[in-house]
Amino acid sequence: MILGIETSCDETSAAVVVNGRDVRASLVSSQVALHAKYGGIVPEIASRAHIEQLRPIVEQTLAQAGVTYGDLTAIAVTVGPGLVGSLLIGVSAAKTLALCNGLPLIAVDHVEAHATSAALTAETPPWPAVALVVSGGHTSLYLVRDFRDIELLGQTVDDAAGEAFDKVAAVLELGYPGGPVIDELAARGNPKAVRFPRTWIHKPHFNFSFSGLKTAVLYYVYGAGKKYGSAQHLSESELADVAASFQSALVQTLVTKTVAAARYTGVSNVVVGGGVAANSALRAELQTACDQAGLRLFLTPLEYCTDNAAMIAALAYQRWQGDEAADLWLEPRAGLLRPGPRARDEVML
Ligand code: KG4
Ligand code: ZN
């Protein structure tokens, strides 16, 4: 029975998970309202909100699960990657709770937790699998041989997929965060209305680049020579067409490269996690592409796509064999814990 703590970005979250799958309680306190007026996350505000939110969230989680510290086996915490100030709050709290209650402390990599969060379903994905992690901070393809052996195949060299959603939503003046709004608006638009770039879609490597797509949307919306300067001149249906065309370019790129990664590694299972894995077009198109390619797709349940502590506690359970407890010198890490190939290295097909 593991208490998970997650504070890597702008959600304060705690969860109690038994045997890596049975989620007894999972609470997420979102800071979206605090950051919305700035159009993105302000790290200082995020850290302060974590300080205020973490203790009540942990206490409510334990109460909801009907357990006390005495019932727990371990405390798991996100050690990175993320905003260092935000991570520091979770790591300090987890160390304190571990020390005061005589419990082992387990450090978990946030992106690896997204890569394995599909295991929070009824059936653990049969490893090996290719994992697509698509979130506000990351867009990566991994080869997951099992819970302990995760290899990075490629990642974005600039914007993450979620970041592209958020920035395009800002250009279209749809508010923050942009992913869910674009998802909804795109459903009413024509994905073939505008041909936006699908950068590196057929290149023989697993890296992504979404900044060109974002800029293409900006130039399209603002007009030649930025003559419009905003999205105000677009009608409701034109806005929906731009949203659908942007989403389609991004989703097609993700789906094509994920299937190519499965072929390259020779695996027959695909898992998907991270905030953008909640996107309805991505879920549908991945399902179609995997069916056509004879691959089994394991989608992370919607509630565990965006940041949550349940995936942290779940991976901690799978990793921990009693010998890997972190000590109180544990420090948060802003970057990937196991970087794999450098961003611009190409994994040749
Ligand atoms: O995993 P997450 O909660 O945080 C990070 O680890 O970054 O992902 C947040 C990102 C945001 O960029 C948000 O716009 C995006 O996930 N997102 C979506 C959807 N729901 C959330 N993007 C596309 N479609 C969605 N339905
Ligand atoms: Zn995340």
Side-chain angles (χ1 to χ4, degrees):
M1 180 175 290
I2 297 182
L3 170 69
I5 291 177
E6 152 67 43
T7 63
S8 66
C9 194
D10 64 335
E11 340 265 4
T12 316
S13 177
V16 171
V17 181
V18 176
N19 293 343
R21 171 168 306 139
D22 175 9
V23 182
R24 295 287 168 89
S26 167
L27 294 185
V28 180
S29 161
S30 169
Q31 303 175 6
V32 161
L34 288 177
H35 301 283
K37 68 175 169 188
Y38 303 101
I41 296 158
V42 183
E44 283 295 322
I45 294 176
S47 310
R48 284 167 199 276
H50 285 308
I51 293 175
E52 286 165 12
Q53 289 301 315
L54 190 52
R55 186 168 175 177
I57 285 287
V58 167
E59 284 170 0
Q60 282 169 37
T61 302
L62 292 177
Q64 218 179 74
V67 299
T68 62
Y69 289 110
D71 300 317
L72 298 173
T73 325
I75 310 266
V77 66
T78 303
V79 68
L83 301 169
V84 148
S86 291
L87 289 163
L88 194 55
I89 311 303
V91 170
S92 305
K95 282 185 195 173
T96 310
L97 291 175
L99 178 66
C100 294
N101 296 289
L103 291 166
L105 177 66
I106 309 171
V108 175
D109 179 312
H110 179 85
V111 191
E112 293 185 357
H114 275 309
T116 51
S117 59
L120 281 165
T121 52
E123 187 190 355
T124 296
W127 312 123
V130 156
L132 172 69
V133 178
V134 269
S135 71
H138 303 276
T139 300
S140 324
L141 278 165
Y142 288 89
L143 170 59
V144 183
R145 293 194 184 85
D146 59 53
F147 285 109
R148 304 174 73 87
D149 186 355
I150 300 178
E151 184 187 334
L152 183 64
L153 298 171
Q155 59 188 337
T156 180
V157 300
D158 41 53
D159 291 353
E163 198 180 348
F165 269 102
D166 295 337
K167 287 176 176 169
V168 164
V171 169
L172 299 179
E173 298 173 33
L174 300 172
Y176 172 86
V181 197
I182 291 190
D183 192 349
E184 206 191 308
L185 184 62
R188 302 195 291 274
N190 172 10
K192 295 200 166 115
V194 192
R195 180 78 192 168
F196 287 126
R198 285 136 172 86
T199 309
W200 296 346
I201 188 164
H202 295 303
K203 285 276 184 219
H205 59 72
F206 303 117
N207 291 330
F208 300 91
S209 167
F210 293 120
S211 74
L213 170 59
K214 169 194 69 185
T215 310
V217 175
L218 183 113
Y219 280 118
Y220 179 84
V221 170
Y222 285 11
K226 293 199 180 170
K227 67 178 169 192
Y228 300 115
S230 80
Q232 297 284 336
H233 66 104
L234 296 176
S235 68
E236 257 303 301
S237 77
E238 285 170 327
L239 271 181
D241 284 350
V242 175
S245 301
F246 154 75
Q247 181 176 273
S248 162
L250 189 138
V251 164
Q252 248 186 37
T253 310
L254 292 174
V255 170
T256 305
K257 291 189 94 71
T258 302
V259 172
R263 289 225 172 86
Y264 169 73
T265 53
V267 306
S268 49
N269 303 301
V270 171
V271 299
V272 191
V276 181
N279 184 267
S280 53
L282 178 62
R283 293 173 88 87
E285 291 191 29
L286 265 172
Q287 190 65 64
T288 308
C290 285
D291 289 347
Q292 278 170 2
L295 300 166
R296 279 186 77 193
L297 176 66
F298 296 81
L299 290 162
T300 297
L302 281 180
E303 65 198 295
Y304 303 124
C305 283
T306 42
D307 289 346
N308 65 90
M311 66 179 188
I312 303 301
L315 182 56
Y317 168 82
Q318 302 291 353
R319 284 275 171 84
W320 190 58
Q321 297 181 332
D323 55 349
E324 281 187 343
D327 61 27
L328 296 177
W329 296 104
L330 182 69
E331 284 187 0
R333 299 261 299 265
L336 287 181
L337 306 194
R338 288 193 267 180
R342 279 176 299 121
R344 285 188 188 280
D345 286 351
E346 296 193 351
V347 179
M348 301 307 291
L349 286 178

